[in-house]
Structures are given as structure tokens and as C-alpha cells.
Amino acid sequence: MICWKRRCNTQGKQTYVKPDLQSPEDPILCQGAELERLFDRGFYTEGPAEGPDGRIYFCDITPTFLSNMAAGNIWAYDPTDGSTTLFRSPSGMASGIHFDAAGRMVIAGGADFGCRAVIRTDLKTGRSHILAGLYRGRPFNSPNDLVIDRAGRIYFTDPRYFGHEPIEQPVFGVYRIDPDGSVHLLLADVSKPNGIELSPDEKTLYVAEHDIRILDRRLSDVPIRDMGDMRILAYDLEDGVACNQRTLVDYGAEKGADGIAVDSAGNIYAAVRSRQRPGIRIYSAQGDPLTDIPLPAAPSNVALCTRNNQTYLYITAANGLYRLATRVPAKS
């Protein structure tokens, strides 16, 4: 079991200190880095992203069958004063956020009374537009996470983990929305696609395959298999077309990566929900392990943010938002 030493600083902010978390030679973590807990008032936090105003926006998923029919939230953390305010509720059961080149918020809205769509919001006017809500006339399963390339193409994953709505798509797919508004099924060879990211040169697409199977555990008198494939996959990407699937990391029977992020050097940061070793595992672009960051709660997603020559890794886990100072800048 991982033992964390918890303490509060003079402002009352809670930090977690683990003396052997990094060494002076660690290529990723700053020497003396402490894991700060910035927020702990959520239900199930997800999808952090830095907005054009410097605030960290993150989702708060509220499964209705567990939250007395709460409708989901998006929060905004302000690094300048440490405050966290409610940005939007209902959230459309958003689980992923990204900002486009114009600074507009793009969310992946999920099932369970959510919007099941990709929606863009102009933060200056507050007006929103649906970018994709149907494919071939049928609603999506539950858009989960997304990333945007420099050409303005949006890539998003569409699994389903919970929600009463019928599943109308024949696959759990990865889709692409082009700047002209057309929607394309990009990948159908992933059992349950979840996190998604691009390499710094945008020639590689990464997809986290997180195939948990929500089962009624009252059926304990018969054998069950509650996990399928748990892998980080890589694809060659050219002009929005992905091919040549390869496995970078295979977690086997261990609960694997949920959300992922990539830094400017091409390293991959994976939010691993392992029951035995929950934390952030960092790999090279070839899938070689670099650093393992244990956490006091199972993480759901990560985001790298660089401002004023300081990079932080923001982490959503359980009901909270955490951050950790790192060495390698975020992608530009």
C-alpha cells in the first residue's frame, strides 16, 4: 500500500508528499515536487483542460443512479487565486474538454440524460453550437474524450459505460469532425476507445482502450469477466486518416489507462486506474516506462499546462483536482 504524508501549507492548501516520488535525475518531475489537492467537491471529476483565460476547466460527471439525478457540472479552477467556481450545470454529462485555436470550448457530452454530442461554446458570447450529434442518422453512444489538430479537425471517442439510452451505433468508434462540419468514422478496431491524444508533430494518434464492462455484481454465483482489453494504441496519422495500429502498452488483466496527455517531447502521460497501483504512468513515444507517479485515488484524466516557464500536470481523480510540477513543457 502507498503511504502518503499529508500536510497543509500556510494557506490551508492540502498537499501530499512522498519522499521517494522523484530523484534528482528524474526526467519528468521537478525535484521536490509535491502533489497538491486543489479541489475536492466534485462527484467524479474528468477531462481537465487549460482555457484561453488561464483557468483549468474540468468536468464533473454525476451518474444519475448514484447522485440523486444530478445533471453534471463543469468547474473552473483559477491558478492565480486558488479558487474554483462552477462554470456550467447542467453539463450535458461532459467528460472531455478541449479548446480550439480560437479559444472556444469544445466538449464531449455523454449519455445518462446528457447530450451525446460534441458541442462548441464561444466563451465571449456564451453561445453554443452542436458540431456532431448524429452519425448516419443515429445518436452517438456517449462521446467521451477529444483532441483537436492544427488543421481544426476534431477527433473524439464514442464508447458507452453507463446511461439508460439505447445504444444505436453498431460500434464503439473513434470519429473525426472536419472543419466543413462533415463527420467520419475513423476507427472501429478498438473495443472501447476512451482517452485520445496526438503526438507533437501530429503524425501519430494515440487511443486508450479501456474496456471495463459494467455488470450486475449480484450475479456473483456465476463466473464473470468485468474487464476486456486494456491498452494504449498508436496509429500513423496523415491528413486525418489513421492506419497501422500497434500496441504501445498492454496492461493485461490490470485496469489500464483512462485519459492520456502528451508533452512537447512526445512522452505519454496515462491516468491508470489500476486497483493495485493507481496513478500516472509516463512512457516514451515508443511505450518505454519512464516514471510512475502513485496517487491517493484512481485518476481519470490528465492535462499539461505551461505558463511563465512553469509546467504543471493537472490530474482529475475521484472527486478532486490535483496538480504536480513537471519539467517538460506542454505541447504548443
Side-chain angles (χ1 to χ4, degrees):
M1 178 177 292
I2 298 164
C3 296
W4 289 87
K5 184 178 180 182
R6 187 169 62 181
R7 71 185 187 191
C8 292
N9 63 16
T10 55
Q11 290 79 38
K13 184 182 295 183
Q14 202 166 83
T15 62
Y16 294 81
V17 183
K18 187 171 185 293
D20 60 341
L21 189 61
Q22 74 286 313
S23 68
E25 296 79 24
D26 193 296
I28 302 296
L29 299 177
C30 292
Q31 176 64 15
E34 296 179 351
L35 181 70
E36 303 175 73
R37 188 169 74 179
L38 309 172
F39 172 83
D40 63 357
R41 292 181 287 120
F43 192 90
Y44 180 81
T45 56
E46 250 278 19
E50 184 182 25
D53 57 1
R55 293 195 294 174
I56 308 302
Y57 294 81
F58 59 99
C59 304
D60 184 12
I61 305 171
T62 57
T64 56
F65 62 98
L66 295 174
S67 66
N68 195 27
M69 296 300 289
N73 311 295
I74 295 177
W75 298 88
Y77 167 76
D78 190 340
T80 62
D81 61 11
S83 65
T84 301
T85 54
L86 184 63
F87 171 74
R88 176 186 291 168
S89 184
S91 67
M93 285 300 178
S95 59
I97 301 173
H98 205 91
F99 288 87
D100 67 12
R104 297 171 296 190
M105 174 187 282
V106 184
I107 65 106
D112 195 28
F113 298 98
C115 61
R116 289 200 287 169
V118 176
I119 295 179
R120 184 176 67 205
T121 302
D122 187 324
L123 297 186
K124 296 177 182 177
T125 66
R127 294 182 180 272
S128 299
H129 291 85
I130 300 169
L131 301 181
L134 302 172
Y135 181 70
R136 294 186 174 176
R138 298 178 179 181
F140 292 109
N141 301 318
S142 186
N144 181 279
D145 204 356
L146 71 166
V147 67
I148 305 175
D149 70 15
R150 296 186 190 100
R153 291 176 289 235
I154 301 169
Y155 306 84
F156 70 95
T157 57
D158 185 41
R160 171 71 74 85
Y161 294 107
F162 62 91
H164 70 283
E165 299 89 342
I167 294 175
E168 299 185 51
Q169 292 297 334
V171 297
F172 295 138
V174 177
Y175 294 84
R176 187 189 75 236
I177 306 171
D178 285 344
D180 64 5
S182 59
V183 182
H184 308 270
L185 178 60
L186 183 66
L187 297 172
D189 60 353
V190 187
S191 59
K192 264 192 182 175
N194 194 305
I196 188 166
E197 250 290 13
L198 293 166
S199 61
D201 62 7
E202 299 190 345
K203 293 182 179 180
T204 305
L205 178 72
Y206 300 107
V207 178
E209 187 175 41
H210 194 80
D211 190 0
I212 58 171
R213 301 170 180 178
I214 306 301
L215 300 172
D216 188 339
R217 283 171 171 68
R218 289 174 296 181
L219 302 176
S220 57
D221 56 334
V222 297
I224 63 172
R225 182 186 179 195
D226 62 354
M227 286 197 306
D229 292 327
M230 294 282 177
R231 302 181 294 175
I232 297 178
L233 305 172
Y235 296 83
D236 295 335
L237 190 66
E238 185 175 358
D239 294 327
V241 177
C243 64
N244 186 27
Q245 184 199 89
R246 53 201 180 275
T247 300
L248 286 187
V249 183
D250 191 336
Y251 295 94
E254 185 181 23
K255 206 170 184 181
D258 190 333
I260 53 177
V262 174
D263 66 23
S264 59
N267 301 312
I268 302 163
Y269 299 63
V272 176
R273 299 186 57 78
S274 166
R275 296 184 181 95
Q276 295 78 26
R277 291 193 302 131
I280 308 302
R281 298 187 199 174
I282 305 173
Y283 308 94
S284 71
Q286 293 74 41
D288 299 319
L290 298 176
T291 298
D292 188 348
I293 306 170
L295 293 177
S300 60
N301 217 326
V302 286
L304 286 158
C305 306
T306 301
R307 290 230 169 192
N308 302 319
N309 297 318
Q310 174 62 65
T311 300
Y312 284 104
L313 177 68
Y314 285 89
I315 304 163
T316 48
N319 66 346
L321 177 70
Y322 298 79
R323 76 175 178 184
L324 189 65
T326 55
R327 297 181 189 271
V328 185
K331 292 188 300 180
S332 57

